[in-house]
Amino acid sequence: MTLKRDMGLGGLVFYGTGTILGAGIFVVIGEVMGEAGPAAPLAYALAGLVAVFTALSFAEISARVPTAAGAIDYVEAGFGDRAALPAIVGWLLILANIVSGATITTGFVSYLSSFVELPGWMATLGLLALVGFVAVAGIKQAAWFMTATTALGLITLLAVLWLARDGLFAWPGLLRDGTVWEGAGSAAFTGILAGAFLAIYSFIGFGDMAQTAEELKRPKRNLPRGIVVTILIVFAFYLLIATALGGLGDIDGIAQADAPLVYAATRGGEFPALPLALASLLVIVNGALTQIVAASRLLMDLGRDGRGGVPGKAGEVSDTTNTPVFATLAVLAVVLILALFVPLGTLASGTSLVILMVFAMVNAALWRLKRKTQPEDVPNLWVSVPLIGLVLCVLTIVGQVLLWTTGGS
């Protein structure tokens, strides 16, 4: 059985926007605020600079190689099967999506605990049972769920911006008077770098979008357009939300809150917390679902191609649901273990490091391909775009390693 092309451009944009926003702004914003403080908008801007160049590379190379394997086949197209690079990329991507799914699951439990007393293990099991059911049911059902929850998420973020508008208007003044640069000198810069590295996690969803190629209508046209539109939408929301929260002044409270966005928006008592918390939970569920779907599709691709030591069973697609059921269940099992036993910050930073390695290799693959040929039916970026993306990814990895080794994060 093959995957079914049920998703259009609109569904792809909602799919991408939902997974990026659900993984990033709802879950990781508190961790970024804890590192960068009121300079969080600068951390997101720096992370966005790294992500935008790589997103453009994905937009072109996904049109050149429109397959569910995503970066696996991109690297193979650029380098061949040299040193088993495609299989290595496949395992890195599967790891990144699984760890990201665990990150989002941990964030869900944290949000839920802000208004419901429920054992963490029970909330974790309940969430993964829900997303597992939707993921197995089929991409069309998943896309409808993602569209609805993404629309709700965008409304929720607009509500947060309105309720935190005082911070949004106050932040430029904090920048002018130097308040943003807390921790004089290099300490402020170190905090921004550490925050930016965590914020990289907030942009990983466009790689997941590329993996819908075999379930997308007109992929050579819709994938590049969907990736570009999505990255513009989420970048704008990240900057606005981080600016609003950075201008509120209660950085410690936001960073330590179980539900940072809900805390920031309702701290003045102007609006009840429950509606925002419920809406946030649905968006976070969306983010978890997309990570499960992406990881299972990657595992399926390795299984059906016999690469990376993955058993052929993982490559099978159900005759009933047209989805890789075995691969989905295997992914869910690993996500469950990580979500139960590994802290949120560790999961997010680990995902960022792994995904940056993949991004670097995808940029390098496109650079090599562009030097050989330029098909007329795909977007044509300047050859410097993937090269700049590669350099930025490598510099970010080196910067984080230096922070770790010097105790800066």
Side-chain angles (χ1 to χ4, degrees):
M1 291 292 293
T2 58
L3 298 172
K4 192 174 180 181
R5 296 191 183 277
D6 274 332
M7 186 184 293
L9 177 60
L12 178 66
V13 171
F14 272 99
Y15 177 94
T17 302
T19 185
I20 298 174
L21 290 177
I25 206 70
F26 284 90
V27 172
V28 178
I29 183 69
E31 300 288 331
V32 176
M33 297 292 292
E35 293 287 357
L42 302 178
Y44 272 103
L46 184 57
L49 178 66
V50 176
V52 163
F53 280 95
T54 299
L56 291 173
S57 291
F58 266 88
E60 177 172 336
I61 202 167
S62 65
R64 285 174 174 260
V65 190
T67 68
I72 300 172
D73 285 348
Y74 304 161
V75 171
E76 184 171 27
F79 294 96
D81 206 18
R82 187 178 308 171
L85 274 179
I88 293 171
V89 170
W91 276 114
L92 285 173
L93 274 174
I94 291 169
L95 177 62
N97 281 293
I98 286 176
V99 177
S100 178
T103 305
I104 298 171
T105 301
T106 304
F108 173 89
V109 173
S110 182
Y111 265 76
L112 187 63
S113 69
S114 68
F115 66 97
V116 174
E117 290 188 10
L118 194 68
W121 65 267
M122 189 179 296
T124 300
L125 282 174
L127 172 63
L128 293 180
L130 172 63
V131 298
F133 174 79
V134 178
V136 167
I139 192 65
K140 187 174 184 178
Q141 290 76 13
W144 276 110
F145 178 82
M146 293 169 191
T147 298
T149 53
T150 299
L152 178 63
L154 293 174
I155 293 170
T156 302
L157 290 178
L158 290 173
V160 170
L161 283 173
W162 173 253
L163 293 169
R165 60 191 181 277
D166 290 346
L168 187 63
F169 296 134
W171 191 84
L174 300 180
L175 182 63
R176 285 193 300 270
D177 67 19
T179 304
V180 164
W181 310 105
E182 288 184 348
S186 62
F189 183 66
T190 299
I192 293 172
L193 282 181
F197 186 76
L198 282 170
I200 288 287
Y201 169 80
S202 305
F203 290 93
I204 68 172
F206 57 80
D208 300 334
M209 293 173 69
Q211 290 158 219
T212 65
E214 293 181 29
E215 295 158 283
L216 184 67
K217 301 170 184 175
R218 302 177 66 186
K220 286 195 174 185
R221 170 185 176 272
N222 288 335
L223 261 178
R225 293 185 181 186
I227 289 173
V228 170
V229 170
T230 299
I231 201 71
L232 291 175
I233 291 171
V234 300
F235 198 7
F237 269 106
Y238 283 156
L239 289 179
L240 289 171
I241 292 290
T243 300
L245 270 59
L248 288 177
D250 188 7
I251 301 300
D252 290 339
I254 295 170
Q256 295 169 15
D258 290 327
L261 282 188
V262 176
Y263 173 85
T266 61
R267 55 196 286 274
E270 181 180 346
F271 193 83
L274 184 59
L276 287 180
L278 289 174
S280 300
L281 284 172
L282 286 173
V283 179
I284 294 170
V285 171
N286 183 352
L289 175 60
T290 55
Q291 299 306 307
I292 300 299
V293 169
S296 64
R297 296 314 189 264
L298 286 163
L299 195 61
M300 175 199 73
D301 186 77
L302 290 179
R304 71 184 180 184
D305 292 345
R307 293 191 288 195
V310 177
K313 183 73 175 176
E316 295 178 3
V317 175
S318 167
D319 293 338
T320 304
T321 64
N322 295 109
T323 57
V325 176
F326 178 86
T328 302
L329 294 177
V331 167
L332 283 167
V334 182
V335 169
L336 174 63
I337 293 170
L338 290 175
L340 289 175
F341 299 109
V342 183
L344 175 63
T346 302
L347 289 169
S349 61
T351 307
S352 292
L353 183 62
V354 173
I355 206 66
L356 279 167
M357 294 176 184
V358 175
F359 285 175
M361 285 187 274
V362 170
N363 279 304
L366 178 60
W367 180 66
R368 285 175 60 88
L369 286 172
K370 289 181 72 65
R371 295 177 65 197
K372 297 175 183 177
T373 61
Q374 182 59 54
E376 294 182 359
D377 60 343
V378 302
N380 183 9
L381 298 172
W382 291 327
V383 72
S384 59
V385 170
L387 187 59
I388 293 172
L390 170 62
V391 171
L392 288 174
C393 288
V394 171
L395 288 177
T396 306
I397 292 171
V398 171
Q400 181 57 29
V401 171
L402 289 175
L403 285 176
W404 282 343
T405 55
T406 59
S409 175

